[in-house]
Amino acid sequence: MTTKQMGVFQRPANMVGAINATLAQEMDRDKDVVILGEDVGRDGGVFRVTEGLQKRFGPGRVMDTPLAELGIVGASVGMAIYGLRPVAEIQFMGFIYAAIEQIFSHASRMRSRSRGRFTCPLVIRTPYGIGIKAPELHSESAEALFCHMPGIKVVVPSSPYNAKGLLASAIRDDDPVIFLEPSRLYRAIKSDVPDEEYLLPLGKGEVYQEGKDLTIVAWGAMLHKAAEAADGFDAEIIDLQTLKPFDEELILSSVKKTGRLVVAHEATTLCGLGAEIAAFVSEAAFGYMKAPVMRVAGYEAVTPMARLEDDFNPGIERIKRAYELVMEY
Amino acid sequence: MTSVATIDTDLSTETLIALLTSMLRIRMFEERIVALYPEQEMKCPVHLCIGQEAIASGVCANLEVKDYVFSNHRGHGHAIAKGADFRPLMAEFYGKKTGCSAGKGGSMHIIDLPRGVFGTSAIVGGGIPMGVGAALASSLKRDGRVTIIFFGDGASEEGVFYESFNFAALKKLPVVFVCENNLYATNSPQTARHSTCRIADSAAVFGSHGACIDGNDAVSVYWSAKKAVEKARAGQGPSLIEALTYRWKGHVGPEADHEKGLRPKDELFEWIKRCPIEGFKKQLLDTGLLNEERIADITTSIKVEIDDAIEFAKMSQYPSPEDLLKNVYFTPDGGI
């Protein structure tokens, strides 16, 4: 874990705590920030991410809603074009499918539709990916769907530290942002998180580990597995952080140095973001490459129950094998 | 149902004339599109609201400039009744850069921010939760605004209508749901789609008031909307108005449906007898509140306004290929 040293007031926090603190910080800072979603108020959310916020900011700014994802996101779009900065929580990423109409048909294109006069500063937060031993719709990694739609930004933190900086930037951003919180990381790791506010820019990745032989691109929970699997390789690991728009410059500068690239993600290989990154690199840096770009990603299958989870999700051995193939090419 | 408009002595002459003027503005605007469409310069699908004017006019006569209107693919009338400028509307239909969507959205994407026309889209029911969101924001900000959501009988079949109405009723939001029931969703009659034919009754499920009214009687719409708008502004929550009407033209385009064998000709002619404008105008003339000269003045000035908008639209530039990439994401220049 890289930990940024910023200020003297910092304390170890997990991702739930970091996100909770960021929401409070942004609500303190800007009266137009409101939170809404199922169980986010009185209860504090399924993963306790909004715990205590309703008590602190009142039911007008931390709103429990009916169990209706399309209505929640649609109302958020209406509030956003009005001028508020809604942060909507969808309980699990699989439940966001019920709200896709409003995200794709309206949030994404309000700006285009209105000659740029409407801005849609909306954040939709949702736990994402495999991590809590719950099947199917509780463990979805559907980030590529959202990356495909013009007008939407997609952000995935990998640590409590970057969760805070990225979420604050997402809330202050004037475009709709899908903020995907890896449920596996909610309480799994701690990092030093400064009390003071800081912003990490959207659209920028970070070099998680420097290296010379091989570039690895990953994000969210997969970043940690990809890093673990890189033991014994001189690998440069990029934490993408923003998937849309992704940091082309950072990837390019790294692959120009290493000449090799592996992209690791949980989501299905076919049409996953790895395919896009591979295509980008082959177009922009073909002459620098010493080996084909490899993807190590999920199978064309529905996320299974706990017993098969590790077979579905790329494990350390599978990831390592991809690194070896690229190195041996 | 009879649709002989009754002149209400409780309404001021000024309001009655404003209602007629508003309906004429919509009718003449739409009829001009019908006339111009064969030129094939307006390369944009148009969903005309001829025959339904009384609803937009009767509702919007109760609104202030600051109030918001969310509408749908058949939204010209709502925007016009709320006071939208003809020029950017017409320019949009011609796909010009000066259009309200910079020539990218067409007739289904109407926005007029200064007049509170907060947008329309092709998604049936798509504007409903957004209208509730705007009303939720109004309620949080205590800005005294009322939001009107216009939608059709087809949208009342979408789940989001119920999600949204429940949310609005739960939070007692300042919003009025206006269902224009023109009896058809594209070509399917309501009887083939609904288990019950009284959409207004849905409001009762959420403890709110629903009224089914004659949508071709501007005065009846006016009073019904007045009650609902006042209630919303007073913080007493949403109402549902189901206004029965009929669209004279096809679902899309300038032709009538019987020309394609899609709906019975007799049915259209029965509804034309209940024209929201003709009966109303006749009564204003009969009661001496208006004379032919005054009506001619009104129509002349509307014609001048439409002529100007068409000239503006035709003279305007098309967007350039560079414009394609504008306004997808935030840029500091704030769009075009």
Side-chain angles (χ1 to χ4, degrees):
Chain A
M1 257 348 292
T2 52
T3 302
K4 292 278 160 64
Q5 296 298 317
M6 281 191 63
V8 284
F9 301 106
Q10 53 184 15
R11 60 193 72 183
N14 62 24
M15 197 180 277
V16 168
I19 294 171
N20 181 283
T22 313
L23 291 169
Q25 166 194 297
E26 293 304 302
M27 292 186 84
D28 260 336
R29 195 188 152 264
D30 182 351
K31 285 194 164 43
D32 289 338
V33 176
V34 295
I35 290 174
L36 70 164
E38 296 157 10
D39 287 327
V40 297
R42 205 166 62 89
D43 179 65
V46 199
F47 288 96
R48 325 302 313 153
V49 174
T50 52
E51 189 146 42
L53 296 178
Q54 190 184 64
K55 207 170 171 192
R56 182 163 162 196
F57 295 99
R61 291 185 67 198
V62 182
M63 274 174 280
D64 284 317
T65 63
L67 202 162
E69 287 79 9
L70 184 56
I72 293 168
V73 174
S76 302
V77 175
M79 284 194 281
I81 60 175
Y82 176 101
L84 302 189
R85 290 186 179 267
V87 182
E89 177 179 298
I90 299 294
Q91 286 189 332
F92 291 93
M93 191 175 198
F95 304 176
I96 210 170
Y97 301 147
I100 275 187
E101 191 276 298
Q102 281 290 324
I103 302 171
F104 283 9
S105 312
H106 306 292
S108 68
R109 48 194 86 197
M110 274 299 172
R111 182 180 300 284
S112 169
R113 209 176 260 173
S114 67
R115 306 170 58 95
R117 287 173 295 191
F118 273 139
T119 186
C120 199
L122 154 70
V123 175
I124 302 174
R125 293 180 36 249
T126 189
Y128 124 105
I130 289 172
I132 53 154
K133 303 284 177 208
E136 271 231 22
L137 295 160
H138 294 75
S139 298
E140 298 286 281
S141 296
E143 64 268 34
L145 285 181
F146 298 93
C147 292
H148 191 65
M149 183 55 66
I152 291 175
K153 295 176 179 172
V154 181
V155 175
V156 184
S158 63
S159 72
Y161 174 81
N162 66 27
K164 181 173 176 183
L166 291 167
L167 181 59
S169 292
I171 292 172
R172 297 182 202 185
D173 197 87
D174 281 328
D175 290 314
V177 179
I178 309 290
F179 193 84
L180 302 174
E181 300 167 0
S183 53
R184 184 197 292 273
L185 302 183
Y186 266 149
R187 295 175 190 278
I189 50 170
K190 286 190 171 184
S191 54
D192 284 344
V193 177
D195 280 346
E196 66 201 50
E197 65 172 64
Y198 57 93
L199 297 171
L200 295 177
L202 303 190
K204 293 284 173 201
E206 194 181 64
V207 175
Y208 178 82
Q209 172 188 305
E210 285 189 19
K212 290 198 291 288
D213 291 344
L214 163 69
T215 301
I216 297 163
V217 173
W219 51 89
M222 187 56 83
L223 175 81
H224 302 283
K225 266 199 197 177
E228 198 184 329
D231 194 26
F233 296 85
D234 190 358
E236 179 143 299
I237 303 174
I238 292 175
D239 178 3
L240 207 51
Q241 297 185 1
T242 298
L243 309 193
K244 166 85 172 291
F246 67 77
D247 193 341
E248 297 181 350
E249 214 176 306
L250 184 65
I251 295 174
L252 267 190
S253 67
S254 180
V255 294
K256 282 181 179 175
K257 182 172 68 176
T258 63
R260 298 183 185 88
L261 174 65
V262 173
V263 186
H265 58 66
E266 269 183 33
T268 308
T269 311
L270 185 87
C271 296
L273 190 62
E276 181 59 36
I277 294 168
F280 163 71
V281 166
S282 81
E283 284 167 0
F286 186 70
Y288 293 86
M289 301 311 285
K290 297 170 188 160
V293 179
M294 286 285 294
R295 291 168 291 164
V296 53
Y299 296 115
E300 183 81 356
V302 174
T303 318
M305 286 276 277
R307 192 176 175 81
L308 289 173
E309 209 173 77
D310 291 335
D311 296 288
F312 172 82
N313 198 17
I316 304 292
E317 285 312 309
R318 236 175 94 201
I319 301 171
K320 197 174 247 175
R321 184 72 199 126
Y323 298 164
E324 285 164 4
L325 282 171
V326 170
M327 290 307 300
E328 290 159 9
Y329 183 79
Chain B
M1 187 189 74
T2 60
S3 184
V4 180
T6 41
I7 293 301
D8 194 313
T9 45
D10 288 343
L11 273 179
S12 69
T13 308
E14 199 188 1
T15 304
L16 291 166
I17 293 172
L19 283 173
L20 179 67
T21 306
S22 172
M23 288 195 286
L24 283 170
R25 279 168 60 81
I26 300 169
R27 175 70 59 92
M28 289 172 68
F29 184 90
E30 298 285 68
E31 283 181 339
R32 188 64 76 86
I33 293 172
V34 173
L36 291 170
Y37 213 73
E39 288 180 0
Q40 297 200 358
E41 281 182 50
M42 213 183 275
K43 293 189 190 304
C44 157
V46 285
H47 301 78
L48 303 172
C49 67
I50 295 175
Q52 305 185 180
E53 297 89 343
I55 304 168
S57 299
V59 169
C60 292
N62 288 287
L63 301 182
E64 298 171 21
V65 177
K66 71 172 183 180
D67 293 330
Y68 292 151
V69 162
F70 284 78
S71 164
N72 55 15
H73 59 288
R74 201 174 305 287
H76 307 172
H78 309 133
I80 293 170
K82 189 65 172 58
D85 190 353
F86 279 178
R87 279 183 163 199
L89 284 189
M90 205 57 101
E92 189 56 41
F93 302 175
Y94 278 90
K96 298 298 181 75
K97 196 170 169 167
T98 52
C100 59
S101 187
K104 291 182 187 173
S107 141
M108 282 179 279
H109 299 106
I110 298 173
I111 286 173
D112 188 322
L113 254 52
R115 272 85 172 186
V117 179
F118 254 43
T120 68
S121 88
I123 301 297
V124 170
I128 298 177
M130 282 187 258
V132 168
L136 182 55
S138 282
S139 155
L140 293 172
K141 292 289 177 185
R142 301 177 200 280
D143 64 10
R145 280 195 176 97
V146 169
T147 293
I148 305 291
I149 304 170
F150 287 107
F151 58 102
D153 45 307
S156 77
E157 290 150 37
E158 294 278 3
V160 76
F161 165 61
Y162 300 93
E163 294 187 20
S164 304
F165 203 99
N166 173 49
F167 199 5
L170 175 74
K171 301 277 182 191
K172 291 206 178 335
L173 299 181
V175 58
V176 181
F177 293 76
V178 180
C179 177
E180 297 177 311
N181 183 355
N182 65 16
L183 312 176
Y184 285 86
T186 310
N187 300 322
S188 295
Q190 193 192 355
T191 48
R193 301 178 287 117
H194 284 193
S195 58
T196 161
C197 284
R198 195 45 62 85
I199 296 163
D201 290 350
S202 310
V205 177
F206 303 104
S208 293
H209 180 67
C212 184
I213 61 166
D214 177 359
N216 278 23
D217 177 358
V219 172
S220 157
V221 176
Y222 177 87
W223 284 118
S224 185
K226 187 177 174 61
K227 214 164 122 186
V229 167
E230 281 172 357
K231 198 178 137 198
R233 224 184 284 282
Q236 291 165 19
S239 308
L240 171 61
I241 297 171
E242 177 188 5
L244 298 171
T245 188
Y246 195 81
R247 78 172 136 76
W248 292 7
K249 296 295 180 183
H251 162 66
V252 61
E255 296 91 18
D257 271 347
H258 65 81
E259 293 164 20
K260 299 175 189 165
L262 294 170
R263 286 187 297 174
K265 192 175 181 176
D266 291 350
E267 190 176 83
L268 170 65
F269 287 178
E270 275 308 304
W271 278 94
I272 287 177
K273 285 184 202 159
R274 304 181 200 170
C275 172
I277 298 176
E278 282 312 310
F280 186 62
K281 190 160 74 178
K282 186 171 182 304
Q283 290 202 43
L284 289 176
L285 288 168
D286 289 350
T287 48
L289 292 170
L290 266 183
N291 56 35
E292 293 285 2
E293 259 182 0
R294 181 76 196 278
I295 292 177
D297 286 348
I298 293 169
T299 53
T300 305
S301 81
I302 297 170
K303 186 181 173 302
V304 168
E305 206 184 332
I306 295 173
D307 288 344
D308 165 75
I310 290 162
E311 198 191 336
F312 172 80
K314 289 193 169 185
M315 298 288 284
S316 292
Q317 300 292 311
Y318 285 106
S320 64
E322 294 76 49
D323 292 325
L324 195 59
L325 301 182
K326 287 186 181 161
N327 299 317
V328 180
Y329 294 98
F330 172 78
T331 47
D333 64 15
I336 52 165

